[in-house]
Amino acid sequence: MPETTPGTSAVLSVLPALSAQAETLIESGVHEIAGLPAAEIRAYAADAEARAGSDGALLAVHPDRAPASALAPLLRREGKPGFVVGDMPDVDEFTPTAIELPDAPLYVLTGLDRGDHMSNWSPDEALPALTKEDRTPLLLTEGIHWVLQQPAALERNLCFMTIGSRLRKPNGTFDARTPAVWISNGTGRDGRERRDAPKVGWCWWNNRHTWLGFASATGRKP
């Protein structure tokens, strides 16, 4: 297992207030994707903010309501929309694995960490380390929500995998791909016009990447 070295911004702890995050979801049209009234999202955010504050908390929509394929195009970086790589048409089939989600359309994640100190680890190495630290890996949709609310969560050479989402094959084994969110270089099938755009893609479960950490949280609250 590689040595850990601190990243330049391993923890992006200052997120917008939950009420402001609710407005971002509404302005982006996430409430329409999820089939939720805007008033319901505002009320939920206000209540969660009043109960527990919002420092470091992320407002998320359950992936059953708002899948990754619908959320990715809402991301923006340098004026360019996000996208899912062309060879991941099954992106929405990557579902929560060994993670119990709140049984609610909206929930809050706490203690987000991009996992920069795990850059150059493989998912197979990172998952037990996160478990030992009593942290839960982010789902792909949660990672997209994070970037939607805090675009600075994506930096050149400091992006992240979301290994809480995996694809189980018909024979019961896991697909070797694992989803990640990073920044396109505009090469290959991405197209030059997508350079610097937010990108949802995948990496192999046993491979290491120096520029990808492992996004995680301390918990999820309904």
Side-chain angles (χ1 to χ4, degrees), residues 41 49 72 85 181 197:
I41 296 180
E49 202 167 273
V85 292
V181 187

Side-chain angles (χ1 to χ4, degrees), residues 48-70:
E49 202 167 273
R51 287 174 181 269
S54 61
D55 288 347
L58 175 69
L59 178 59
V61 179
H62 197 289
D64 287 349
R65 293 288 194 119
S69 62

